[in-house]
Amino acid sequence: MGKIFTLFLTFICMQGYTQINTILQPGNAKSLKKYETGVIISAEHAKMMLIPWSPEIIRVRVVQKEFAEDFSYAVIGKPAGTFTKIVENKDSWVLSTDSLEVIVNKSPLRLKFLDKKGNVRSEDYNDFSITWQGSEGTCYKKLFDDERFIGLGEKTGNLNRRGEKYENWNSDMPAYSQYEDPLYVSVPFFIGIHDSTVYGIFLDNSTRTRFDFGASTDNQFSSFTVPDGKINYYFIGSGSVAGIIKDYTWLTGRMKLPPYWSLGYHQCRWGYYPESEVISLASKFREKKIPCDAIWMDIDYMDEYKIFTWNDEKFPKPSDMISKLKTMDFHLVTIVDPGIKVEPGYSSYDEGVKNDYFIKYPNGKLYVGNVWPGRCHFPDFTKESVRKWWGASFRALTDPGVDGFWNDMNEPSVWGQNIPSIVQFDFDGHPTSINEAHNVYGLNMARGTYEGTKALMNGKRPFVLTRAGYAGIQRYSAVWTGDNEATDDHLMLSARLVNSLGLSGVAFTGPDLGGFMGTPTKELFLRWLSLGIYTPFLRNHSVVDSKDKEPWAFGESAEATAISLLNQRYRLLPYLYSAFYEASRTGMPVARSLAIDYTFDEKVYWYGYQNEYLFGDNILVAPVVSTQQFAKVYLPEGNWYRLSTGEKYIGNSEVIVEAPLDDLPVFAKGSGIIPLQSVIQNTSQKPSPVIELHIYNGTEKNSFLYYEDDGITYKYENGDFYSRLIIFDPLKKEIILDKPEGSRVSKFESFLLIMHDFGDLKSVNVNGKNYAIGKRSEGERSIEFPLEKDRINISY
Ligand code: MIG
């Protein structure tokens, strides 16, 4: 008996072993068939679909047998391309769009993507390309000698990911290390750079995919792997990094403009309760004249951590408290977790059970996992009815006046960190297990939250923040980078994470300022705040029972520094909001790794410079650790001006600059155009009617699209905005304020033109008339004009 059993086991194991090792490749291509949107190539052991999604985007799907129904949570762009020419040669087919050429080699089946100039952007590795090993599929691509890889969303490590490998599995990683992988968000999209060309690959597969950018492959190939064997990727062949991001965000969507207040300063911590503490916290900001727009409440506001409830003792009258906050011009943001406490009588639990809203085992038994409330069920956000129900449940928060919604623990995270693979999801009518649903759980929770709160808020924009996400998350939510630590390494890492998310379509992001865990020194706090001023999402947050970290917690002089830093953030808002507008239209991130604009300048990838980025079009930010009061900074080509002093630097140079705690090395670009407003204490306040328009001298023509709207509603989608193209042309010695667009009147009445480094200018010519110009300082000249509706031509 024992012997037979052992034999049997051996047999099973051998079967498994062989299966895992079965290697299957497409083999030779046999035929190509055209169909409505693309072509299908049949090979000996596989079928490949090539679909031109646009002239610059080609989708590749490969299966061993038949194509399953097409479904994606990430992609919203509809196929809008055609192969304009298909030529068959003896060894290949050549498929052309208006921008690209795909060469399909027949024996064996291999792909090569070229642009119209004949540059190879990307090609399959010749020795082996698509390979299934058991159920897992991998696509091997040739690695070019000088190839660099950037993006892949919220990933630690260097800007250039060459030589590294990564995995996509949304993970709750408290106090993650500098090298931790994976973290909370998965965006399986990267950009490759080689031989003066670029390309992007978006692997639309939400399972635990893996990327290898030439780690341990003797510089032969890079690869990506899909555990479920479904090879489904989009090759993006726009000619620049910015163009690729634009195409990628056309495919997966862009953020809508968030409420204006969410660009302000956010004060959070785990442990703000009861009501009296929240109110006195808010009052303190106003008394001390520290600009702030939002107070946040973590899990303690709830009754036993039951979602959509309030704790009667700590918060007996939420609506009264929120009214008080509103009179002080504060917004309130509250947290929600996905776990619904198992407790008959609790309405969310009862409704979920009754309507089959929770995830379950294949036999129908509801999955139970432990989180803050104890034993919990988890909504299946991959079901439309569940998203609707979830969204409508926010009434418990919107009714009393909450207008920001913080989605935490949505990897999803449970104590023990392992939901069994067998747990089932609806996947909007394509039933599947958590293996495929896990990485889109946060995306769909954020979607339910965004759509639900938007519907509840009568035309006002909700603010949503999420910890987990998948490609496309930018459509619904801002993202923060989870439970970091109060160290200089994390400070620098936070810049890279934000920049990498930006390269991956997510523009509204930021870290817990000052570090979630641990106690920052005064220096680290101030340094982090100074970096935060130039980070899209600016929120101070700390773990429960940690030392105070509010702007006044580090002594009087630090408080004064914090105030001057925050004042600068509020001064920057017109500039920043214009950058958000750009992100909403083109996907261009707000924080832009230098790899976007200076892609082929190898220094931007150097260890010491890789954290630098442009904040909007015209400001360069060089993050510096808190233990250093000077910094070595790389300034790319062009002229640069230190924002704080106006000091000029010639670019394409490495410079050592002072970096005191109250003055991070931040530079205006030569020809830069930067609108600034007066200091306000929060975004409900009206700034002075005069907007400053700073123009820095330079050699290149530059333009800036200034944008404003009500900051509250979606009326801008119907034309209720004010935008104005501002052009500076140093060759023609001209500054133009083009005619405003949109039906709105600007909130400013006049602008103060401040010209930097234009020599000893005494007058300028405005629409044909000469005006005397004032001297503000050695390098600054200024003149004030009304913001007329017509085009304003200034020559000097
Ligand atoms: O198990 O809600 O990342 O920001 O303060 C920890 C408490 C749960 C993790 C979040 C953090 C939040 C904390 N949460």
Side-chain angles (χ1 to χ4, degrees):
M1 181 66 190
K3 217 173 181 181
I4 293 175
F5 186 65
T6 320
L7 263 176
F8 180 65
L9 255 187
T10 318
F11 177 70
I12 298 222
C13 293
M14 276 174 62
Q15 286 272 311
Y17 184 75
T18 352
Q19 236 199 352
I20 289 169
N21 274 288
T22 310
I23 299 226
L24 190 110
Q25 295 179 330
N28 299 336
K30 294 182 304 189
S31 67
L32 177 143
K33 243 200 318 211
K34 282 187 243 179
Y35 76 105
E36 324 95 83
T37 42
V39 301
I40 294 179
I41 294 152
S42 301
E44 289 167 291
H45 310 293
K47 274 188 188 153
M48 175 185 276
M49 209 184 251
L50 294 172
I51 314 162
W53 224 254
S54 84
E56 290 174 347
I57 304 176
I58 292 167
R59 179 176 178 195
V60 181
R61 284 178 85 186
V62 196
V63 291
Q64 292 177 22
K65 302 222 157 64
E66 296 306 323
F67 293 101
E69 193 194 332
D70 198 16
F71 182 71
S72 168
Y73 280 112
V75 171
I76 57 166
K78 297 269 175 291
T82 39
F83 286 126
T84 47
K85 208 164 90 186
I86 299 178
V87 176
E88 176 158 16
N89 303 317
K90 195 169 134 266
D91 303 326
S92 66
W93 289 281
V94 180
L95 316 175
S96 310
T97 68
D98 287 341
S99 315
L100 298 173
E101 216 163 67
V102 192
I103 301 181
V104 184
N105 189 67
K106 291 180 184 169
S107 310
L109 175 60
R110 297 279 185 269
L111 297 181
K112 195 187 261 193
F113 297 90
L114 301 94
D115 57 32
K116 287 278 152 145
K117 292 187 200 130
N119 298 314
V120 177
R121 300 289 190 88
S122 166
E123 68 177 287
D124 288 348
Y125 181 54
N126 206 39
D127 292 13
F128 37 91
S129 73
I130 286 164
T131 303
W132 287 281
Q133 200 169 358
S135 58
E136 184 170 284
T138 297
C139 191
Y140 296 92
K141 298 276 179 195
K142 172 178 169 176
L143 185 59
F144 294 84
D145 285 346
D146 64 341
E147 193 163 11
R148 295 190 167 97
F149 299 89
I150 58 173
L152 211 67
E154 190 189 52
K155 294 293 183 196
T156 56
N158 294 320
L159 167 62
N160 176 12
R161 307 200 174 284
R162 169 101 181 222
E164 298 293 330
K165 63 169 175 49
Y166 296 91
E167 190 177 39
N168 288 310
W169 190 253
N170 295 353
S171 301
D172 180 3
M173 282 293 166
Y176 53 90
S177 81
Q178 266 213 86
Y179 308 101
E180 193 86 57
D181 183 64
L183 293 181
Y184 312 86
V185 174
S186 298
V187 186
F189 163 61
F190 71 88
I191 295 169
I193 301 163
H194 66 89
D195 298 296
S196 314
T197 67
V198 292
Y199 68 91
I201 285 185
F202 169 44
L203 176 65
D204 190 13
N205 182 310
S206 61
T207 62
R208 194 174 196 135
T209 56
R210 304 196 300 276
F211 286 72
D212 180 325
F213 297 115
S216 321
T217 65
D218 194 25
N219 291 324
Q220 300 289 296
F221 53 84
S222 63
S223 68
F224 45 86
T225 297
V226 289
D228 64 354
K230 289 184 194 157
I231 291 173
N232 174 30
Y233 68 91
Y234 294 77
F235 170 85
I236 306 179
S238 166
S240 64
V241 173
I244 290 170
I245 296 172
K246 190 172 181 187
D247 280 349
Y248 168 76
T249 54
W250 169 73
L251 204 57
T252 62
R254 300 178 181 128
M255 72 167 166
K256 297 232 183 235
L257 278 171
Y260 195 55
W261 63 264
S262 65
L263 275 60
Y265 173 69
H266 300 257
Q267 184 62 50
C268 184
R269 85 153 26 253
W270 180 356
Y272 284 145
Y273 66 82
E275 169 179 330
S276 56
E277 186 179 328
V278 174
I279 297 295
S280 73
L281 174 77
S283 318
K284 209 157 169 179
F285 275 94
R286 297 299 177 241
E287 278 156 26
K288 288 177 168 290
K289 288 213 166 344
I290 304 176
C292 185
D293 266 89
I295 304 284
W296 290 51
M297 299 206 310
D298 207 312
I299 48 177
D300 322 279
Y301 77 90
M302 294 178 262
D303 172 29
E304 295 180 311
Y305 307 124
K306 283 181 275 184
I307 312 305
F308 306 124
T309 69
W310 292 86
N311 182 304
D312 289 346
E313 273 163 41
K314 296 175 187 149
F315 298 98
K317 277 229 140 201
S319 57
D320 286 3
M321 175 183 75
I322 297 170
S323 302
K324 281 185 213 152
L325 288 174
K326 281 192 176 154
T327 53
M328 290 187 275
D329 289 329
F330 276 97
H331 294 263
L332 182 68
V333 185
T334 54
I335 198 168
V336 291
D337 292 352
I340 300 288
K341 188 177 177 63
V342 174
E343 185 187 277
Y346 160 39
S347 61
S348 297
Y349 168 82
D350 290 342
E351 288 163 22
V353 171
K354 186 170 139 233
N355 299 306
D356 189 22
Y357 288 156
F358 298 134
I359 55 174
K360 46 193 185 229
Y361 291 100
N363 64 1
K365 192 171 172 178
L366 297 185
Y367 168 74
V368 175
N370 270 270
V371 225
W372 291 107
R375 299 175 73 241
C376 286
H377 292 321
F378 292 80
D380 181 358
F381 293 111
T382 68
K383 211 172 176 180
E384 166 128 38
S385 57
V386 176
R387 290 191 295 271
K388 285 243 157 76
W389 161 73
W390 173 261
S393 305
F394 277 91
R395 190 175 287 279
L397 300 173
T398 54
D399 271 357
V402 176
D403 53 5
F405 312 94
W406 176 16
N407 287 198
D408 189 21
M409 305 291 278
N410 53 353
E411 291 70 32
S413 170
V414 284
W415 304 156
Q417 303 275 3
N418 187 35
I419 300 182
S421 305
I422 200 168
V423 169
Q424 300 294 300
F425 286 73
D426 181 66
F427 223 67
D428 283 277
H430 312 79
T432 190
S433 78
I434 193 152
N435 293 342
E436 193 174 13
H438 175 90
N439 282 343
V440 295
Y441 192 80
L443 174 86
N444 283 294
M445 176 174 167
R447 176 178 171 189
T449 304
Y450 177 72
E451 288 170 353
T453 54
K454 188 178 173 199
L456 287 167
M457 283 172 59
N458 301 320
K460 286 192 178 171
R461 306 175 200 169
F463 170 70
V464 180
L465 182 74
T466 183
R467 194 169 71 176
Y470 179 71
I473 187 64
Q474 64 272 10
R475 302 199 297 267
Y476 312 115
S477 182
V479 169
W480 100 100
T481 58
D483 297 347
N484 61 357
E485 282 191 279
T487 65
D488 277 298
D489 283 345
H490 265 279
L491 165 77
M492 299 305 257
L493 173 62
S494 75
R496 285 201 303 290
L497 289 173
V498 165
N499 293 345
S500 184
L501 279 160
L503 287 166
S504 317
V506 195
F508 197 5
T509 61
D512 285 350
L513 191 153
F516 176 68
M517 318 273 247
T519 311
T521 59
K522 173 175 91 182
E523 291 74 21
L524 180 59
F525 174 75
L526 288 177
R527 185 63 102 206
W528 212 319
L529 181 59
S530 71
L531 184 62
I533 302 312
Y534 301 96
T535 300
F537 176 55
L538 171 59
R539 185 186 69 154
N540 180 342
H541 179 42
S542 334
V543 69
V544 68
D545 293 335
S546 54
K547 279 203 164 167
D548 285 358
K549 217 176 74 188
E550 291 72 19
W552 48 80
F554 299 89
E556 270 176 35
S557 82
E559 183 180 323
T561 307
I563 292 177
S564 76
L565 293 171
L566 286 165
N567 286 348
Q568 170 72 352
R569 171 75 172 202
Y570 281 77
R571 295 245 298 140
L572 276 166
L573 285 176
Y575 173 78
L576 183 57
Y577 196 54
S578 301
F580 268 71
Y581 180 60
E582 189 180 357
S584 77
R585 290 173 65 227
T586 67
M588 187 62 152
V590 174
R592 307 171 183 171
S593 161
L594 294 186
I596 298 181
D597 284 304
Y598 309 96
T599 313
F600 300 103
D601 180 343
E602 63 165 296
K603 282 198 184 139
V604 309
Y605 305 95
W606 285 16
Y607 185 80
Y609 305 132
Q610 61 172 344
N611 304 316
E612 293 180 22
Y613 58 96
L614 292 190
F615 189 60
D617 285 334
N618 298 313
I619 294 177
L620 182 144
V621 180
V624 180
V625 291
S626 67
T627 47
Q628 249 175 237
Q629 307 287 305
F630 62 90
K632 199 167 169 199
V633 169
Y634 177 60
L635 296 171
E637 59 180 354
N639 298 339
W640 299 90
Y641 295 88
R642 181 95 183 223
L643 205 61
S644 55
T645 62
E647 192 179 338
K648 181 176 177 178
Y649 295 87
I650 307 296
N652 213 345
S653 61
E654 299 165 65
V655 295
I656 293 180
V657 296
E658 286 190 45
L661 291 171
D662 59 356
D663 187 17
L664 191 71
V666 172
F667 303 85
K669 193 155 94 181
S671 303
I673 301 167
I674 303 173
L676 297 177
Q677 68 180 18
S678 62
V679 172
I680 47 176
Q681 297 305 303
N682 62 75
T683 56
S684 315
Q685 285 189 350
K686 266 201 148 186
S688 137
V690 183
I691 183 168
E692 294 173 13
L693 184 62
H694 292 259
I695 301 211
Y696 290 83
N697 209 349
T699 50
E700 305 275 313
K701 186 173 173 180
N702 191 21
S703 66
F704 181 83
L705 185 66
Y706 172 77
Y707 177 85
E708 59 174 272
D709 61 23
D710 68 17
I712 297 169
T713 71
Y714 291 92
K715 288 183 192 153
Y716 71 93
E717 292 181 330
N718 300 316
D720 184 15
F721 61 85
Y722 174 93
S723 77
R724 192 155 198 173
L725 190 67
I726 302 170
I727 302 159
F728 168 46
D729 189 340
L731 293 179
K732 289 193 189 150
K733 296 194 163 214
E734 206 172 46
I735 296 161
I736 295 166
L737 273 94
D738 218 336
K739 271 196 164 174
E741 286 188 23
S743 60
R744 208 175 164 78
V745 176
S746 173
K747 63 182 157 198
F748 298 103
E749 289 163 18
S750 60
F751 73 89
L752 180 67
L753 175 67
I754 302 177
M755 299 170 72
H756 296 258
D757 193 31
F758 282 74
D760 203 14
L761 262 192
K762 295 224 166 51
S763 69
V764 293
N765 185 292
V766 184
N767 288 347
K769 274 193 204 153
N770 269 335
Y771 288 83
I773 189 163
K775 181 168 176 176
R776 279 164 61 97
S777 70
E778 216 18 68
E780 289 176 22
R781 298 291 179 275
S782 68
I783 182 167
E784 193 177 326
F785 298 104
L787 266 187
E788 285 158 18
K789 286 208 197 72
D790 297 324
R791 181 180 153 116
I792 304 175
N793 274 50
I794 302 159
S795 54
Y796 59 89

